[in-house]
PDB file of all heavy atoms in Angstrom:
ATOM      1  N   THR A  46      -5.187  -9.766   8.123  1.00 95.00           N
ATOM      2  CA  THR A  46      -3.873 -10.088   8.851  1.00 95.00           C
ATOM      3  C   THR A  46      -2.909  -8.972   8.941  1.00 95.00           C
ATOM      4  O   THR A  46      -1.960  -9.040   9.658  1.00 95.00           O
ATOM      5  CB  THR A  46      -3.217 -11.275   8.147  1.00 95.00           C
ATOM      6  OG1 THR A  46      -2.984 -10.894   6.775  1.00 95.00           O
ATOM      7  CG2 THR A  46      -4.103 -12.536   8.263  1.00 95.00           C
ATOM      8  N   HIS A  47      -3.137  -7.857   8.222  1.00 95.00           N
ATOM      9  CA  HIS A  47      -2.224  -6.774   8.286  1.00 95.00           C
ATOM     10  C   HIS A  47      -2.572  -5.805   9.415  1.00 95.00           C
ATOM     11  O   HIS A  47      -1.672  -5.473  10.250  1.00 95.00           O
ATOM     12  CB  HIS A  47      -2.182  -6.020   6.919  1.00 95.00           C
ATOM     13  CG  HIS A  47      -1.422  -4.780   6.981  1.00 95.00           C
ATOM     14  ND1 HIS A  47      -1.916  -3.488   6.979  1.00 95.00           N
ATOM     15  CD2 HIS A  47      -0.030  -4.638   6.948  1.00 95.00           C
ATOM     16  CE1 HIS A  47      -0.978  -2.621   6.923  1.00 95.00           C
ATOM     17  NE2 HIS A  47       0.177  -3.253   6.996  1.00 95.00           N
ATOM     18  N   ALA A  48      -3.763  -5.176   9.419  1.00 90.00           N
ATOM     19  CA  ALA A  48      -4.134  -4.194  10.433  1.00 90.00           C
ATOM     20  C   ALA A  48      -5.375  -4.625  11.252  1.00 90.00           C
ATOM     21  O   ALA A  48      -5.876  -3.786  11.884  1.00 90.00           O
ATOM     22  CB  ALA A  48      -4.320  -2.879   9.639  1.00 90.00           C
ATOM     23  N   GLU A  49      -5.819  -5.910  11.131  1.00 88.00           N
ATOM     24  CA  GLU A  49      -6.944  -6.368  11.877  1.00 88.00           C
ATOM     25  C   GLU A  49      -8.210  -5.631  11.690  1.00 88.00           C
ATOM     26  O   GLU A  49      -9.010  -5.640  12.546  1.00 88.00           O
ATOM     27  CB  GLU A  49      -6.497  -6.517  13.401  1.00 88.00           C
ATOM     28  CG  GLU A  49      -5.439  -7.425  13.572  1.00 88.00           C
ATOM     29  CD  GLU A  49      -5.155  -7.681  15.093  1.00 88.00           C
ATOM     30  OE1 GLU A  49      -5.911  -7.225  15.971  1.00 88.00           O
ATOM     31  OE2 GLU A  49      -4.145  -8.327  15.353  1.00 88.00           O
ATOM     32  N   GLY A  50      -8.407  -5.022  10.450  1.00 92.00           N
ATOM     33  CA  GLY A  50      -9.709  -4.471  10.168  1.00 92.00           C
ATOM     34  C   GLY A  50     -10.666  -5.538   9.820  1.00 92.00           C
ATOM     35  O   GLY A  50     -10.453  -6.570   9.455  1.00 92.00           O
ATOM     36  N   PHE A  51     -12.016  -5.232  10.143  1.00 94.00           N
ATOM     37  CA  PHE A  51     -13.083  -6.136   9.841  1.00 94.00           C
ATOM     38  C   PHE A  51     -13.239  -6.134   8.357  1.00 94.00           C
ATOM     39  O   PHE A  51     -13.547  -5.162   7.707  1.00 94.00           O
ATOM     40  CB  PHE A  51     -14.388  -5.597  10.450  1.00 94.00           C
ATOM     41  CG  PHE A  51     -14.689  -6.120  11.774  1.00 94.00           C
ATOM     42  CD1 PHE A  51     -14.704  -5.324  12.952  1.00 94.00           C
ATOM     43  CD2 PHE A  51     -15.003  -7.521  12.016  1.00 94.00           C
ATOM     44  CE1 PHE A  51     -15.003  -5.846  14.181  1.00 94.00           C
ATOM     45  CE2 PHE A  51     -15.262  -8.088  13.254  1.00 94.00           C
ATOM     46  CZ  PHE A  51     -15.275  -7.236  14.350  1.00 94.00           C
ATOM     47  N   LEU A  52     -13.024  -7.342   7.765  1.00 97.00           N
ATOM     48  CA  LEU A  52     -13.086  -7.485   6.293  1.00 97.00           C
ATOM     49  C   LEU A  52     -14.428  -7.151   5.723  1.00 97.00           C
ATOM     50  O   LEU A  52     -14.632  -6.677   4.626  1.00 97.00           O
ATOM     51  CB  LEU A  52     -12.655  -8.836   5.855  1.00 97.00           C
ATOM     52  CG  LEU A  52     -11.128  -9.112   6.010  1.00 97.00           C
ATOM     53  CD1 LEU A  52     -10.714 -10.527   5.699  1.00 97.00           C
ATOM     54  CD2 LEU A  52     -10.308  -8.078   5.260  1.00 97.00           C
ATOM     55  N   SER A  53     -15.445  -7.408   6.530  1.00 96.00           N
ATOM     56  CA  SER A  53     -16.918  -7.191   6.109  1.00 96.00           C
ATOM     57  C   SER A  53     -17.167  -5.631   5.908  1.00 96.00           C
ATOM     58  O   SER A  53     -18.107  -5.286   5.322  1.00 96.00           O
ATOM     59  CB  SER A  53     -17.898  -7.787   7.050  1.00 96.00           C
ATOM     60  OG  SER A  53     -17.866  -7.168   8.357  1.00 96.00           O
ATOM     61  N   GLU A  54     -16.338  -4.860   6.527  1.00 96.00           N
ATOM     62  CA  GLU A  54     -16.513  -3.462   6.369  1.00 96.00           C
ATOM     63  C   GLU A  54     -15.725  -2.919   5.150  1.00 96.00           C
ATOM     64  O   GLU A  54     -15.797  -1.690   4.843  1.00 96.00           O
ATOM     65  CB  GLU A  54     -15.986  -2.687   7.562  1.00 96.00           C
ATOM     66  CG  GLU A  54     -16.852  -2.880   8.810  1.00 96.00           C
ATOM     67  CD  GLU A  54     -16.397  -2.349  10.113  1.00 96.00           C
ATOM     68  OE1 GLU A  54     -15.339  -1.587  10.064  1.00 96.00           O
ATOM     69  OE2 GLU A  54     -16.978  -2.658  11.184  1.00 96.00           O
ATOM     70  N   GLY A  55     -15.035  -3.862   4.485  1.00 97.00           N
ATOM     71  CA  GLY A  55     -14.265  -3.448   3.296  1.00 97.00           C
ATOM     72  C   GLY A  55     -15.230  -3.620   1.976  1.00 97.00           C
ATOM     73  O   GLY A  55     -16.403  -3.340   2.022  1.00 97.00           O
ATOM     74  N   TYR A  56     -14.591  -4.071   0.934  1.00 97.00           N
ATOM     75  CA  TYR A  56     -15.256  -4.101  -0.394  1.00 97.00           C
ATOM     76  C   TYR A  56     -15.199  -5.489  -0.976  1.00 97.00           C
ATOM     77  O   TYR A  56     -14.131  -6.168  -0.959  1.00 97.00           O
ATOM     78  CB  TYR A  56     -14.496  -3.079  -1.318  1.00 97.00           C
ATOM     79  CG  TYR A  56     -14.420  -1.784  -0.793  1.00 97.00           C
ATOM     80  CD1 TYR A  56     -13.342  -1.282  -0.074  1.00 97.00           C
ATOM     81  CD2 TYR A  56     -15.530  -0.895  -0.829  1.00 97.00           C
ATOM     82  CE1 TYR A  56     -13.285  -0.032   0.522  1.00 97.00           C
ATOM     83  CE2 TYR A  56     -15.510   0.396  -0.261  1.00 97.00           C
ATOM     84  CZ  TYR A  56     -14.368   0.776   0.378  1.00 97.00           C
ATOM     85  OH  TYR A  56     -14.357   2.035   1.035  1.00 97.00           O
ATOM     86  N   LEU A  57     -16.276  -5.935  -1.481  1.00 98.00           N
ATOM     87  CA  LEU A  57     -16.354  -7.237  -2.134  1.00 98.00           C
ATOM     88  C   LEU A  57     -16.063  -7.033  -3.521  1.00 98.00           C
ATOM     89  O   LEU A  57     -16.859  -6.241  -4.226  1.00 98.00           O
ATOM     90  CB  LEU A  57     -17.789  -7.771  -1.912  1.00 98.00           C
ATOM     91  CG  LEU A  57     -18.114  -9.178  -2.489  1.00 98.00           C
ATOM     92  CD1 LEU A  57     -17.078 -10.272  -1.892  1.00 98.00           C
ATOM     93  CD2 LEU A  57     -19.486  -9.572  -2.286  1.00 98.00           C
ATOM     94  N   LEU A  58     -14.990  -7.574  -4.062  1.00 98.00           N
ATOM     95  CA  LEU A  58     -14.499  -7.403  -5.449  1.00 98.00           C
ATOM     96  C   LEU A  58     -14.997  -8.731  -6.209  1.00 98.00           C
ATOM     97  O   LEU A  58     -14.306  -9.606  -6.430  1.00 98.00           O
ATOM     98  CB  LEU A  58     -13.046  -7.254  -5.501  1.00 98.00           C
ATOM     99  CG  LEU A  58     -12.410  -6.152  -4.627  1.00 98.00           C
ATOM    100  CD1 LEU A  58     -10.968  -6.195  -4.600  1.00 98.00           C
ATOM    101  CD2 LEU A  58     -13.019  -4.750  -4.983  1.00 98.00           C
ATOM    102  N   GLU A  59     -16.292  -8.614  -6.650  1.00 97.00           N
ATOM    103  CA  GLU A  59     -16.908  -9.751  -7.239  1.00 97.00           C
ATOM    104  C   GLU A  59     -16.196 -10.279  -8.464  1.00 97.00           C
ATOM    105  O   GLU A  59     -16.089 -11.527  -8.680  1.00 97.00           O
ATOM    106  CB  GLU A  59     -18.351  -9.423  -7.605  1.00 97.00           C
ATOM    107  CG  GLU A  59     -19.260  -9.206  -6.300  1.00 97.00           C
ATOM    108  CD  GLU A  59     -20.665  -8.964  -6.623  1.00 97.00           C
ATOM    109  OE1 GLU A  59     -21.293  -9.924  -7.105  1.00 97.00           O
ATOM    110  OE2 GLU A  59     -21.117  -7.787  -6.463  1.00 97.00           O
ATOM    111  N   ASP A  60     -15.749  -9.373  -9.303  1.00 97.00           N
ATOM    112  CA  ASP A  60     -15.132  -9.718 -10.624  1.00 97.00           C
ATOM    113  C   ASP A  60     -13.822 -10.553 -10.353  1.00 97.00           C
ATOM    114  O   ASP A  60     -13.383 -11.346 -11.204  1.00 97.00           O
ATOM    115  CB  ASP A  60     -14.822  -8.562 -11.443  1.00 97.00           C
ATOM    116  CG  ASP A  60     -16.052  -7.912 -12.033  1.00 97.00           C
ATOM    117  OD1 ASP A  60     -17.086  -8.618 -12.019  1.00 97.00           O
ATOM    118  OD2 ASP A  60     -16.031  -6.711 -12.426  1.00 97.00           O
ATOM    119  N   TYR A  61     -13.296 -10.394  -9.157  1.00 97.00           N
ATOM    120  CA  TYR A  61     -11.993 -11.096  -8.868  1.00 97.00           C
ATOM    121  C   TYR A  61     -12.116 -12.140  -7.773  1.00 97.00           C
ATOM    122  O   TYR A  61     -11.085 -12.751  -7.413  1.00 97.00           O
ATOM    123  CB  TYR A  61     -10.879 -10.057  -8.427  1.00 97.00           C
ATOM    124  CG  TYR A  61     -10.645  -8.976  -9.418  1.00 97.00           C
ATOM    125  CD1 TYR A  61     -11.277  -7.672  -9.306  1.00 97.00           C
ATOM    126  CD2 TYR A  61      -9.854  -9.194 -10.551  1.00 97.00           C
ATOM    127  CE1 TYR A  61     -11.053  -6.746 -10.325  1.00 97.00           C
ATOM    128  CE2 TYR A  61      -9.624  -8.218 -11.515  1.00 97.00           C
ATOM    129  CZ  TYR A  61     -10.265  -7.038 -11.403  1.00 97.00           C
ATOM    130  OH  TYR A  61     -10.083  -6.074 -12.323  1.00 97.00           O
ATOM    131  N   CYS A  62     -13.319 -12.299  -7.250  1.00 98.00           N
ATOM    132  CA  CYS A  62     -13.474 -13.234  -6.133  1.00 98.00           C
ATOM    133  C   CYS A  62     -12.591 -12.941  -4.931  1.00 98.00           C
ATOM    134  O   CYS A  62     -11.945 -13.700  -4.442  1.00 98.00           O
ATOM    135  CB  CYS A  62     -13.387 -14.655  -6.579  1.00 98.00           C
ATOM    136  SG  CYS A  62     -14.125 -15.772  -5.399  1.00 98.00           S
ATOM    137  N   GLU A  63     -12.601 -11.614  -4.558  1.00 98.00           N
ATOM    138  CA  GLU A  63     -11.727 -11.055  -3.499  1.00 98.00           C
ATOM    139  C   GLU A  63     -12.495 -10.222  -2.543  1.00 98.00           C
ATOM    140  O   GLU A  63     -13.492  -9.702  -2.912  1.00 98.00           O
ATOM    141  CB  GLU A  63     -10.559 -10.333  -4.110  1.00 98.00           C
ATOM    142  CG  GLU A  63      -9.638 -11.114  -4.986  1.00 98.00           C
ATOM    143  CD  GLU A  63      -8.606 -10.205  -5.602  1.00 98.00           C
ATOM    144  OE1 GLU A  63      -8.664  -8.957  -5.512  1.00 98.00           O
ATOM    145  OE2 GLU A  63      -7.724 -10.824  -6.344  1.00 98.00           O
ATOM    146  N   VAL A  64     -11.936 -10.013  -1.344  1.00 98.00           N
ATOM    147  CA  VAL A  64     -12.350  -9.005  -0.417  1.00 98.00           C
ATOM    148  C   VAL A  64     -11.229  -8.160  -0.165  1.00 98.00           C
ATOM    149  O   VAL A  64     -10.061  -8.559   0.027  1.00 98.00           O
ATOM    150  CB  VAL A  64     -12.956  -9.679   0.812  1.00 98.00           C
ATOM    151  CG1 VAL A  64     -11.903 -10.555   1.586  1.00 98.00           C
ATOM    152  CG2 VAL A  64     -13.514  -8.551   1.747  1.00 98.00           C
ATOM    153  N   GLU A  65     -11.499  -6.781  -0.094  1.00 97.00           N
ATOM    154  CA  GLU A  65     -10.441  -5.722   0.222  1.00 97.00           C
ATOM    155  C   GLU A  65     -10.737  -5.250   1.579  1.00 97.00           C
ATOM    156  O   GLU A  65     -11.764  -4.761   1.906  1.00 97.00           O
ATOM    157  CB  GLU A  65     -10.539  -4.644  -0.873  1.00 97.00           C
ATOM    158  CG  GLU A  65      -9.484  -3.600  -0.746  1.00 97.00           C
ATOM    159  CD  GLU A  65      -9.659  -2.587  -1.792  1.00 97.00           C
ATOM    160  OE1 GLU A  65      -9.280  -2.868  -2.979  1.00 97.00           O
ATOM    161  OE2 GLU A  65     -10.146  -1.421  -1.482  1.00 97.00           O
ATOM    162  N   CYS A  66      -9.674  -5.145   2.375  1.00 96.00           N
ATOM    163  CA  CYS A  66      -9.709  -4.549   3.708  1.00 96.00           C
ATOM    164  C   CYS A  66     -10.001  -3.046   3.591  1.00 96.00           C
ATOM    165  O   CYS A  66      -9.427  -2.331   2.747  1.00 96.00           O
ATOM    166  CB  CYS A  66      -8.411  -4.762   4.429  1.00 96.00           C
ATOM    167  SG  CYS A  66      -8.320  -4.076   6.100  1.00 96.00           S
ATOM    168  N   PRO A  67     -10.891  -2.564   4.493  1.00 95.00           N
ATOM    169  CA  PRO A  67     -11.187  -1.047   4.516  1.00 95.00           C
ATOM    170  C   PRO A  67     -10.079  -0.131   4.979  1.00 95.00           C
ATOM    171  O   PRO A  67     -10.140   1.019   4.735  1.00 95.00           O
ATOM    172  CB  PRO A  67     -12.475  -0.985   5.440  1.00 95.00           C
ATOM    173  CG  PRO A  67     -12.207  -2.115   6.400  1.00 95.00           C
ATOM    174  CD  PRO A  67     -11.552  -3.247   5.587  1.00 95.00           C
ATOM    175  N   ILE A  68      -9.011  -0.697   5.579  1.00 95.00           N
ATOM    176  CA  ILE A  68      -7.990   0.114   6.195  1.00 95.00           C
ATOM    177  C   ILE A  68      -6.862   0.477   5.187  1.00 95.00           C
ATOM    178  O   ILE A  68      -6.556   1.664   4.884  1.00 95.00           O
ATOM    179  CB  ILE A  68      -7.425  -0.465   7.413  1.00 95.00           C
ATOM    180  CG1 ILE A  68      -8.504  -0.693   8.484  1.00 95.00           C
ATOM    181  CG2 ILE A  68      -6.286   0.366   8.079  1.00 95.00           C
ATOM    182  CD1 ILE A  68      -8.147  -1.423   9.744  1.00 95.00           C
ATOM    183  N   HIS A  69      -6.196  -0.496   4.713  1.00 94.00           N
ATOM    184  CA  HIS A  69      -5.000  -0.228   3.794  1.00 94.00           C
ATOM    185  C   HIS A  69      -5.199  -0.898   2.415  1.00 94.00           C
ATOM    186  O   HIS A  69      -4.241  -0.969   1.636  1.00 94.00           O
ATOM    187  CB  HIS A  69      -3.729  -0.665   4.414  1.00 94.00           C
ATOM    188  CG  HIS A  69      -3.378  -0.019   5.694  1.00 94.00           C
ATOM    189  ND1 HIS A  69      -3.232  -0.595   6.909  1.00 94.00           N
ATOM    190  CD2 HIS A  69      -3.276   1.328   5.877  1.00 94.00           C
ATOM    191  CE1 HIS A  69      -3.037   0.298   7.819  1.00 94.00           C
ATOM    192  NE2 HIS A  69      -2.994   1.528   7.248  1.00 94.00           N
ATOM    193  N   GLU A  70      -6.360  -1.287   2.141  1.00 93.00           N
ATOM    194  CA  GLU A  70      -6.632  -1.901   0.751  1.00 93.00           C
ATOM    195  C   GLU A  70      -5.889  -3.293   0.413  1.00 93.00           C
ATOM    196  O   GLU A  70      -5.770  -3.695  -0.697  1.00 93.00           O
ATOM    197  CB  GLU A  70      -6.345  -0.889  -0.418  1.00 93.00           C
ATOM    198  CG  GLU A  70      -7.194   0.326  -0.186  1.00 93.00           C
ATOM    199  CD  GLU A  70      -6.847   1.319  -1.225  1.00 93.00           C
ATOM    200  OE1 GLU A  70      -5.858   1.263  -1.982  1.00 93.00           O
ATOM    201  OE2 GLU A  70      -7.555   2.345  -1.291  1.00 93.00           O
ATOM    202  N   GLY A  71      -5.441  -3.956   1.485  1.00 95.00           N
ATOM    203  CA  GLY A  71      -4.948  -5.261   1.288  1.00 95.00           C
ATOM    204  C   GLY A  71      -6.153  -6.169   0.816  1.00 95.00           C
ATOM    205  O   GLY A  71      -7.221  -5.972   1.290  1.00 95.00           O
ATOM    206  N   ALA A  72      -5.936  -7.153   0.003  1.00 97.00           N
ATOM    207  CA  ALA A  72      -6.978  -7.943  -0.520  1.00 97.00           C
ATOM    208  C   ALA A  72      -6.608  -9.432  -0.379  1.00 97.00           C
ATOM    209  O   ALA A  72      -5.487  -9.780  -0.372  1.00 97.00           O
ATOM    210  CB  ALA A  72      -7.252  -7.520  -1.963  1.00 97.00           C
ATOM    211  N   PHE A  73      -7.716 -10.164  -0.283  1.00 98.00           N
ATOM    212  CA  PHE A  73      -7.588 -11.655  -0.146  1.00 98.00           C
ATOM    213  C   PHE A  73      -8.553 -12.447  -1.023  1.00 98.00           C
ATOM    214  O   PHE A  73      -9.729 -11.990  -1.300  1.00 98.00           O
ATOM    215  CB  PHE A  73      -7.968 -11.972   1.376  1.00 98.00           C
ATOM    216  CG  PHE A  73      -7.143 -11.375   2.317  1.00 98.00           C
ATOM    217  CD1 PHE A  73      -7.501 -10.104   2.907  1.00 98.00           C
ATOM    218  CD2 PHE A  73      -5.978 -11.828   2.797  1.00 98.00           C
ATOM    219  CE1 PHE A  73      -6.804  -9.402   3.769  1.00 98.00           C
ATOM    220  CE2 PHE A  73      -5.177 -11.194   3.774  1.00 98.00           C
ATOM    221  CZ  PHE A  73      -5.543  -9.982   4.249  1.00 98.00           C
ATOM    222  N   ASN A  74      -8.047 -13.528  -1.586  1.00 98.00           N
ATOM    223  CA  ASN A  74      -8.890 -14.491  -2.365  1.00 98.00           C
ATOM    224  C   ASN A  74      -9.976 -15.110  -1.536  1.00 98.00           C
ATOM    225  O   ASN A  74      -9.613 -15.725  -0.501  1.00 98.00           O
ATOM    226  CB  ASN A  74      -7.982 -15.453  -3.087  1.00 98.00           C
ATOM    227  CG  ASN A  74      -8.816 -16.425  -3.958  1.00 98.00           C
ATOM    228  OD1 ASN A  74      -9.509 -17.178  -3.551  1.00 98.00           O
ATOM    229  ND2 ASN A  74      -8.438 -16.284  -5.260  1.00 98.00           N
ATOM    230  N   LEU A  75     -11.192 -15.016  -1.947  1.00 98.00           N
ATOM    231  CA  LEU A  75     -12.299 -15.649  -1.097  1.00 98.00           C
ATOM    232  C   LEU A  75     -12.268 -17.102  -1.084  1.00 98.00           C
ATOM    233  O   LEU A  75     -12.744 -17.769  -0.224  1.00 98.00           O
ATOM    234  CB  LEU A  75     -13.618 -15.159  -1.632  1.00 98.00           C
ATOM    235  CG  LEU A  75     -13.978 -13.591  -1.308  1.00 98.00           C
ATOM    236  CD1 LEU A  75     -15.175 -13.233  -2.153  1.00 98.00           C
ATOM    237  CD2 LEU A  75     -14.236 -13.473   0.196  1.00 98.00           C
ATOM    238  N   ARG A  76     -11.650 -17.732  -2.100  1.00 97.00           N
ATOM    239  CA  ARG A  76     -11.661 -19.233  -2.176  1.00 97.00           C
ATOM    240  C   ARG A  76     -10.504 -19.804  -1.315  1.00 97.00           C
ATOM    241  O   ARG A  76     -10.749 -20.832  -0.730  1.00 97.00           O
ATOM    242  CB  ARG A  76     -11.464 -19.726  -3.586  1.00 97.00           C
ATOM    243  CG  ARG A  76     -12.523 -19.361  -4.503  1.00 97.00           C
ATOM    244  CD  ARG A  76     -12.352 -19.892  -5.978  1.00 97.00           C
ATOM    245  NE  ARG A  76     -13.254 -19.268  -6.911  1.00 97.00           N
ATOM    246  CZ  ARG A  76     -14.493 -19.620  -7.036  1.00 97.00           C
ATOM    247  NH1 ARG A  76     -15.036 -20.555  -6.191  1.00 97.00           N
ATOM    248  NH2 ARG A  76     -15.172 -18.915  -8.013  1.00 97.00           N
TER     249      ARG A  76
END
Side-chain angles (χ1 to χ4, degrees):
T46 56
H47 175 253
E49 297 188 8
F51 269 112
L52 292 176
S53 65
E54 294 176 3
Y56 306 96
L57 184 60
L58 308 174
E59 294 182 66
D60 291 344
Y61 302 101
C62 197
E63 296 174 355
V64 60
E65 182 181 284
C66 178
I68 299 175
H69 296 118
E70 301 176 352
F73 302 90
N74 181 291
L75 287 168
R76 295 182 196 285

